[in-house]
Amino acid sequence: MPINTGTVLVVGGAGYIGSHMVLMLKRAGFTPIVLDNLSRGHREALSGAKLIAGEMADRDLLAHLFTTHSFSAVLHFASYIEVAESMKNPAKYYQNNVAATLTLLDLMMEHQVRHFIFSSTAAVYGEPHYTPLDELHPLHPVNPYGRSKRMVEEIVMDYARCGHLHYAILRYFNAAGADPEGRLAERHHPESHLIPLVLQAAAGERDAIIVYGNDYATPDGTCIRDYVHVTDLCDAHLLSLQRLLEGGESLLCNLGTGRGYSVQQVIDAARLVTGCRIPTVHGDRRPGDPAILVANASRAMQELHWQPRYSTLETLITHAWQAMRVTA
Amino acid sequence: MPINTGTVLVVGGAGYIGSHMVLMLKRAGFTPIVLDNLSRGHREALSGAKLIAGEMADRDLLAHLFTTHSFSAVLHFASYIEVAESMKNPAKYYQNNVAATLTLLDLMMEHQVRHFIFSSTAAVYGEPHYTPLDELHPLHPVNPYGRSKRMVEEIVMDYARCGHLHYAILRYFNAAGADPEGRLAERHHPESHLIPLVLQAAAGERDAIIVYGNDYATPDGTCIRDYVHVTDLCDAHLLSLQRLLEGGESLLCNLGTGRGYSVQQVIDAARLVTGCRIPTVHGDRRPGDPAILVANASRAMQELHWQPRYSTLETLITHAWQAMRVTA
């Protein structure tokens, strides 16, 4: 039987994926406590969970949090995720994504909190040597964002190796979609995710969608990505949390579907779902954008008995569209 | 003409290599200011340089330091360096070697201090794929110590890529020896370096020297390392500092001699130099100890016009023996 009680700390719980996780944790019987600096997150996305507004790097605040609560686990969604920004301002990425995470881990160690679920990314792989990518693919991240994530992975695994931590490191491919019941939106500031950008173009909120590169070695020339529904990601987190709380082994795995869609396919599907015109403009390739990025997610499926439920293109876009219109 | 004036911050300047560097900087006309927490360093090793006793992680202390001094460069010798300890207590290594270095870099950025010389290590390479090792060898460090150093290298290079920093990253092979004029000792607590251990055995301060593995694929079965004299290391730092201050490009290079000596050769040479009995005991191989670790140091020789002056086995041991007896 899953142990679905206890208080868990959700760092970044007001953000896109974190807020969906808070919703799921509550429904599953947990008491999520959210720490979020609200730089990207939204207070109204908390579904009634307790919010501590502050910085993960604030050691005194963390000390107070860990002293006043007894956490059975920590889920960490509080990384900065914008590749271009990380290349312009690496200090921000290393300070927040690495140094502040070390502070969080320090407090976990001091308070004997041993279960840690970390949002990692396919960006740790860098340019794919083969596709689909399994977890044994070499790690050569090509920007500070990806390097900051790989550093935390290494640090977490070193803590675990000497018995200080049990972890689930979950390497997301392209997170997309929104709560199937329309309770939460997909929002990023600035918006950098393809499906919301496409839907903003459909809604007339932006003039056109820029397609970066149409001469890739793919069937229609546009980049192929593996889109995974945010609720499916949260399912995998919940399964990971239950596994750790039941004494299961640490786990590192990809979260994707194994199936890729091209930028052009996303746009075409969005036209069908929305019934709107979606103007497109051709742009240059962006440096560091591989042609194809698709997960081999069989480890997550085997180890966690995880199965994506909502990660078809039509469902992803339908949910994102519905959430955008409900919360617009 | 070299620009040998100006105030430089030497973090870890009371330690083994840092204190030799302070001596050389003073002689070259610089004003070194030392920040050292004295956890490993020694107050009496400062050669009259100003000491600020405190932590590199102490942001307020650093802010005060950078506000009250105008540093032309920062030299960073303040990493923890014990492999075995890093495997038992990785948190200590990631907190000090990575997070505290990020704090130092932050203050450098805030105060527009753009020149940074970082003590890295051959441990970033991990198990050698070929020998001698050049700088293009893949980086697969096999312990938290080596990983923490590689992380800082990556962070520094990312800061430099966006124009925030000019660096010299110097990957030491086996630092050894002591000031040729006997003004400073080689001291480590706990002692983990081969030559001091051998000399302590020669001096009767320890019963015997343990030879870890005598069945390696080397001529006499013991491990081969590339020993480089601490004063030669300091020469390379001074050349790097002058290069950066003259507007030269950032540089990453190995510091070694290109010539290796086996553990057995070190012991034999120490017997000759000291005229003492040196009892040996055979121990098991230590995990992560490669058979041969020798630098291809041609990049340092070409780019810095660096040439080791003191890194012969006899000189290394003679200087270490002399320093040990003078300061005993």
Side-chain angles (χ1 to χ4, degrees):
Chain A
M1 277 290 290
I3 310 161
N4 282 355
T5 53
T7 305
V8 296
L9 177 61
V10 186
V11 190
Y16 167 47
I17 303 171
S19 62
H20 284 83
M21 191 69 226
V22 165
L23 200 58
M24 188 177 286
L25 285 165
K26 284 177 70 94
R27 181 174 280 190
F30 288 95
T31 304
I33 307 289
V34 172
L35 172 66
D36 201 298
N37 66 8
L38 301 176
S39 73
R40 300 293 205 277
H42 306 274
R43 193 179 288 273
E44 63 277 19
L46 287 167
S47 313
K50 181 175 166 188
L51 168 72
I52 289 90
E55 296 292 335
M56 177 171 61
D58 182 342
R59 186 175 287 268
D60 294 337
L61 176 65
L62 287 183
H64 178 72
L65 249 180
F66 278 84
T67 306
T68 51
H69 296 84
S70 179
F71 298 120
S72 52
V74 174
L75 292 85
H76 177 358
F77 296 95
S79 301
Y80 291 130
I81 60 165
E82 289 152 40
V83 167
E85 185 188 45
S86 82
M87 297 198 284
K88 278 189 219 121
N89 188 1
K92 177 174 175 179
Y93 279 70
Y94 291 120
Q95 283 293 346
N96 181 74
N97 293 7
V98 180
T101 298
L102 280 164
T103 305
L104 175 66
L105 289 170
D106 244 22
L107 271 293
M108 289 181 62
M109 298 301 101
E110 279 176 31
H111 293 267
Q112 282 88 47
V113 180
R114 298 296 187 211
H115 299 125
F116 188 58
I117 302 186
F118 178 62
S119 303
S120 189
T121 168
V124 298
Y125 295 117
E127 181 68 31
H129 299 187
Y130 54 83
T131 185
L133 286 158
D134 61 20
E135 292 84 357
L136 302 175
H137 186 282
L139 304 180
H140 293 294
V142 296
N143 50 60
Y145 163 62
R147 282 190 275 276
S148 73
K149 289 283 194 172
R150 197 205 49 198
M151 287 177 194
V152 174
E153 287 193 353
E154 291 186 340
I155 290 167
V156 165
M157 288 190 277
D158 276 330
Y159 279 51
R161 213 168 274 122
C162 53
H164 300 165
L165 206 60
H166 300 272
Y167 64 81
I169 291 172
L170 304 175
R171 292 178 177 159
Y172 305 168
F173 280 63
N174 282 53
D179 176 45
E181 297 172 35
R183 290 165 296 184
L184 292 166
E186 176 176 4
R187 292 196 287 190
H188 313 276
H189 297 291
E191 189 54 69
S192 58
H193 288 57
L194 181 64
I195 293 176
L197 286 170
V198 167
L199 294 179
Q200 287 174 4
E205 293 171 20
R206 61 178 68 231
D207 294 337
I209 175 84
I210 305 172
V211 177
Y212 295 102
N214 60 4
D215 56 352
Y216 283 98
T218 58
D220 63 26
T222 64
C223 284
I224 291 176
R225 294 291 178 271
D226 185 338
Y227 296 91
V228 53
H229 194 288
V230 60
T231 301
D232 290 334
L233 290 178
C234 291
D235 280 348
H237 283 71
L238 190 61
L239 292 165
S240 298
L241 178 60
Q242 288 164 342
R243 171 189 172 104
L244 294 178
L245 294 178
E246 287 163 12
E249 280 181 26
S250 291
L251 176 71
L252 179 156
C253 62
N254 288 336
L255 294 181
T257 66
R259 156 103 213 235
Y261 295 100
S262 74
V263 171
Q264 191 57 55
Q265 285 176 303
V266 169
I267 294 168
D268 292 342
R271 286 178 177 140
L272 274 175
V273 167
T274 65
C276 298
R277 273 186 73 243
I278 301 177
T280 62
V281 173
H282 289 299
D284 289 338
R285 289 183 181 203
R286 292 181 298 192
D289 254 358
I292 302 177
L293 208 54
V294 173
N296 176 335
S298 55
R299 188 188 283 179
M301 294 172 189
Q302 282 163 25
E303 292 282 331
L304 295 173
H305 309 292
W306 176 66
Q307 201 58 53
R309 294 184 283 162
Y310 299 111
S311 299
T312 64
L313 201 47
E314 196 192 334
T315 305
L316 285 163
I317 294 171
T318 302
H319 288 168
W321 184 239
Q322 165 186 304
M324 195 173 140
R325 299 176 71 82
V326 166
T327 59
Chain B
M1 279 289 289
I3 312 161
N4 282 354
T5 53
T7 305
V8 296
L9 177 62
V10 185
V11 191
Y16 167 47
I17 302 171
S19 61
H20 284 82
M21 191 70 227
V22 165
L23 199 59
M24 187 176 288
L25 285 165
K26 284 175 70 91
R27 181 172 282 192
F30 289 94
T31 304
I33 307 289
V34 172
L35 172 66
D36 201 299
N37 66 8
L38 300 177
S39 73
R40 300 293 203 278
H42 306 274
R43 193 180 289 272
E44 63 276 19
L46 287 168
S47 314
K50 180 174 167 190
L51 168 71
I52 288 91
E55 296 292 335
M56 177 171 60
D58 182 341
R59 185 176 288 269
D60 294 337
L61 176 65
L62 287 182
H64 178 71
L65 248 180
F66 278 84
T67 306
T68 51
H69 296 83
S70 179
F71 297 121
S72 53
V74 174
L75 291 84
H76 176 357
F77 297 94
S79 301
Y80 290 130
I81 59 164
E82 290 153 37
V83 168
E85 185 187 46
S86 83
M87 296 199 283
K88 279 189 218 119
N89 188 0
K92 178 175 173 178
Y93 279 69
Y94 290 122
Q95 284 293 344
N96 181 74
N97 294 7
V98 181
T101 299
L102 279 164
T103 304
L104 175 65
L105 289 171
D106 244 21
L107 271 292
M108 289 180 62
M109 297 303 99
E110 279 175 32
H111 292 267
Q112 282 88 48
V113 180
R114 298 296 187 211
H115 299 125
F116 188 59
I117 302 187
F118 178 62
S119 304
S120 190
T121 168
V124 298
Y125 295 116
E127 181 68 32
H129 299 187
Y130 55 83
T131 185
L133 286 159
D134 59 21
E135 293 84 357
L136 301 176
H137 186 282
L139 304 180
H140 293 295
V142 296
N143 50 60
Y145 163 62
R147 281 190 276 276
S148 72
K149 289 283 195 173
R150 196 204 49 198
M151 287 177 194
V152 174
E153 287 193 353
E154 291 186 341
I155 289 166
V156 165
M157 288 190 277
D158 276 330
Y159 279 51
R161 212 167 275 125
C162 54
H164 299 164
L165 207 61
H166 300 271
Y167 64 82
I169 291 172
L170 304 175
R171 291 178 178 160
Y172 305 168
F173 280 63
N174 283 55
D179 176 45
E181 297 171 36
R183 291 165 295 183
L184 292 165
E186 175 175 6
R187 293 195 287 191
H188 313 277
H189 297 291
E191 189 54 70
S192 58
H193 288 57
L194 180 64
I195 292 175
L197 286 169
V198 166
L199 294 179
Q200 287 173 3
E205 293 172 20
R206 60 178 67 232
D207 293 337
I209 176 84
I210 306 172
V211 177
Y212 294 102
N214 59 4
D215 56 353
Y216 283 98
T218 58
D220 64 25
T222 65
C223 283
I224 290 175
R225 294 290 179 271
D226 185 338
Y227 295 92
V228 54
H229 194 289
V230 59
T231 302
D232 290 334
L233 290 178
C234 291
D235 280 347
H237 282 71
L238 189 61
L239 292 165
S240 298
L241 178 60
Q242 288 163 341
R243 172 189 172 104
L244 293 178
L245 294 179
E246 287 163 12
E249 280 182 26
S250 291
L251 176 72
L252 178 157
C253 61
N254 289 336
L255 294 181
T257 66
R259 155 104 213 235
Y261 296 100
S262 73
V263 172
Q264 190 58 57
Q265 286 177 301
V266 169
I267 294 168
D268 291 342
R271 286 180 177 136
L272 275 175
V273 168
T274 65
C276 297
R277 273 187 71 243
I278 301 177
T280 62
V281 173
H282 289 299
D284 290 339
R285 289 184 182 201
R286 292 180 299 190
D289 255 358
I292 302 177
L293 208 54
V294 172
N296 175 335
S298 55
R299 189 187 284 180
M301 293 172 189
Q302 282 164 26
E303 292 281 332
L304 295 174
H305 308 290
W306 176 65
Q307 201 59 53
R309 295 183 284 161
Y310 300 110
S311 298
T312 65
L313 201 45
E314 195 192 335
T315 305
L316 285 164
I317 293 171
T318 302
H319 289 169
W321 182 239
Q322 167 187 303
M324 196 173 139
R325 298 174 74 80
V326 167
T327 60

